[in-house]
Amino acid sequence: MTDFSTITACGECCVGCSKKIDGLCPGCIEADGHVPEWAQSGMCKVHACCKEHNARFCGLCSEFPCDKLPQLISWNPDIIQHLSALRDEYIINGLSGEYVVRRLAEEDIPEILALCEKNTLYYRYCPPFVSEQSIRDDMNALPPGKTVSDKYYVGYYDGERLIAVMDMIMAFPEKTTSFIGFFMTDIEAQNKGLGSFIISELCKVMTGMGMREVRLGWVKGNPQAEHFWKKNGFVETGATNETDKYTVVVARRGLQ
């Protein structure tokens, strides 16, 4: 597991660097970007940009990936892929300090189905009833302008047991907003604080990434969903989305 306290703005790690070991360079983090390579031009431009955007490293910036990134980090032609991988690890590991969290894939669909099909109340208000195909469709669904790198369809595990599923989109519909498209806990674990705990941890990691709000929707008339989200600090925006089967109430929770 990566120690992100050692990761520089450009996604490198100074630990073990010969220049640092030999005392030729104090290290980007320790020197606040004022390293020998930038002695003639002041602070490292990448470090300065991250400070300006309040990002621990480039991959966590709300502007990532920006047009100037390949020029700023020209020595690494795979920089976007590298920083994307670091961002994935940072977000997924940060989603919970209590449970194992990982991206869910095609082979996990039967397990997801077993969790979801027990929650008949949810699908009473949000038809049609869950199926393997509907889960597959949700796994692949993306809002306009978003890519798979922005989507986190993840499972929370207590040991080997799947206890919650979340579908989250980063930087949607605004750059400083994370959007929860779906969230469900195992019905056997409900009313025990699990869902609220997961949402609390999510909001902490999103705040640390500079997100300003989390947005989501619940189906109008579903008392269970409305009670849960309001209990967790979400307030109605006044906007709704209409489908042919139900009305979605749009809600938000401010983070900063």
Side-chain angles (χ1 to χ4, degrees):
M1 183 181 296
T2 302
D3 178 1
F4 283 95
S5 67
T6 68
I7 297 299
T8 64
C10 63
E12 300 293 337
C13 178
C14 294
V15 176
C17 174
S18 60
K19 289 184 179 181
K20 188 173 183 182
I21 292 172
D22 295 339
L24 301 175
C25 178
C28 298
I29 296 172
E30 293 84 349
D32 193 27
H34 296 280
V35 294
E37 283 80 358
W38 296 93
Q40 304 303 316
S41 57
M43 182 188 293
C44 165
K45 293 178 182 179
V46 184
H47 189 93
C49 190
C50 280
K51 287 193 71 171
E52 179 185 346
H53 289 85
N54 194 31
R56 182 185 289 267
F57 61 90
C58 268
L60 299 185
C61 179
S62 60
E63 302 289 335
F64 176 81
C66 68
D67 294 337
K68 60 185 178 182
L69 184 58
Q71 294 179 332
L72 283 175
I73 311 179
S74 58
W75 62 88
N76 184 351
D78 299 319
I79 189 59
I80 293 178
Q81 295 92 323
H82 173 64
L83 289 170
S84 295
L86 281 175
R87 181 179 76 158
D88 280 0
E89 184 182 353
Y90 182 90
I91 292 175
I92 292 174
N93 288 344
L95 285 176
S96 182
E98 181 74 19
Y99 303 105
V100 174
V101 183
R102 66 172 178 84
R103 268 198 167 98
L104 297 171
E106 177 82 17
E107 58 268 23
D108 300 307
I109 289 179
E111 193 175 18
I112 301 167
L113 179 63
L115 181 148
C116 293
E117 64 186 2
K118 291 184 287 186
N119 197 332
T120 56
L121 178 63
Y122 176 88
Y123 294 103
R124 184 188 309 167
Y125 290 96
C126 188
F129 195 69
V130 65
S131 66
E132 288 194 359
Q133 187 57 49
S134 69
I135 293 171
R136 189 174 292 108
D137 291 342
D138 285 347
M139 280 183 167
N140 296 314
L142 287 168
K146 295 281 93 180
T147 67
V148 292
S149 64
D150 300 308
K151 183 181 177 75
Y152 292 85
Y153 194 97
V154 298
Y156 290 74
Y157 286 83
D158 184 6
E160 297 296 318
R161 176 189 170 205
L162 178 66
I163 56 171
V165 176
M166 179 184 292
D167 183 9
M168 181 183 68
I169 302 291
M170 290 295 298
F172 180 80
E174 284 85 34
K175 289 182 178 179
T176 55
T177 300
S178 56
F179 184 85
I180 300 175
F182 179 77
F183 177 59
M184 183 176 290
T185 59
D186 188 332
I187 198 167
E188 296 174 8
Q190 291 180 6
N191 300 313
K192 298 178 181 179
L194 172 64
S196 296
F197 177 75
I198 289 174
I199 297 303
S200 177
E201 289 198 300
L202 167 72
C203 289
K204 286 179 183 177
V205 74
M206 291 298 106
T207 299
M209 290 183 62
M211 294 292 107
R212 295 180 181 175
E213 70 172 14
V214 178
R215 196 175 298 186
L216 49 79
W218 65 73
V219 175
K220 185 177 182 179
N222 184 338
Q224 180 190 48
E226 180 177 354
H227 173 74
F228 173 79
W229 291 118
K230 286 186 174 180
K231 180 181 70 173
N232 282 281
F234 287 82
V235 296
E236 298 177 34
T237 64
T240 58
N241 294 324
E242 300 293 335
T243 76
D244 59 347
K245 294 184 174 64
Y246 49 81
T247 299
V248 176
V249 177
V250 180
R252 66 178 294 275
R253 172 173 164 172
L255 299 178
Q256 299 179 6

